[in-house]
């Protein structure tokens, strides 16, 4: 729904000349940016395993992390 509002308001606002639609476009853009900033980031870890070392892979529930953040 937000994508539809964003596209419609972008057409009718900044490029169409309507101040109200420009305001709606700005609000929709702000929501998209805030969602992008609040997204969950994936952390990639790279280490070389020496002979005899083991690797444990586990899946944690959303919102938890092993490093306490």
């Amino acid at each position: 729904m937000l994508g539809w509002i964003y596209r419609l308001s972008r057409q009718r606002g900044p490029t169409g000349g309507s101040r109200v639609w420009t305001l709606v476009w700005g609000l929709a853009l702000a929501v998209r940016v805030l969602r992008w900033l609040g997204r969950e980031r994936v952390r990639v870890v790279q280490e070389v395993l020496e002979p005899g070392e083991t690797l444990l892979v586990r899946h944690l529930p959303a919102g938890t992390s092993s490093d306490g953040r």
Side-chain angles (χ1 to χ4, degrees):
M1 181 75 171
L2 180 63
W4 177 78
I5 292 172
Y6 178 80
R7 285 187 300 276
L8 180 66
S9 62
R10 186 180 59 195
Q11 290 172 352
R12 294 184 181 181
T15 58
S18 171
R19 287 185 181 180
V20 173
W21 280 107
T22 300
L23 178 62
V24 172
W25 173 76
L27 292 173
L29 179 63
V31 169
R32 291 179 87 169
V33 168
L34 289 174
R35 282 185 178 178
W36 182 79
L37 290 173
R39 76 191 187 285
E40 186 174 330
R41 291 166 181 81
V42 176
R43 194 174 80 162
V44 177
V45 178
Q46 288 182 325
E47 291 192 29
V48 177
L49 293 179
E50 299 298 327
E53 291 183 327
T54 60
L55 176 68
L56 172 66
V57 179
R58 62 182 175 162
H59 176 77
L60 299 174
T64 61
S65 66
S66 60
D67 60 1
R69 288 190 214 175

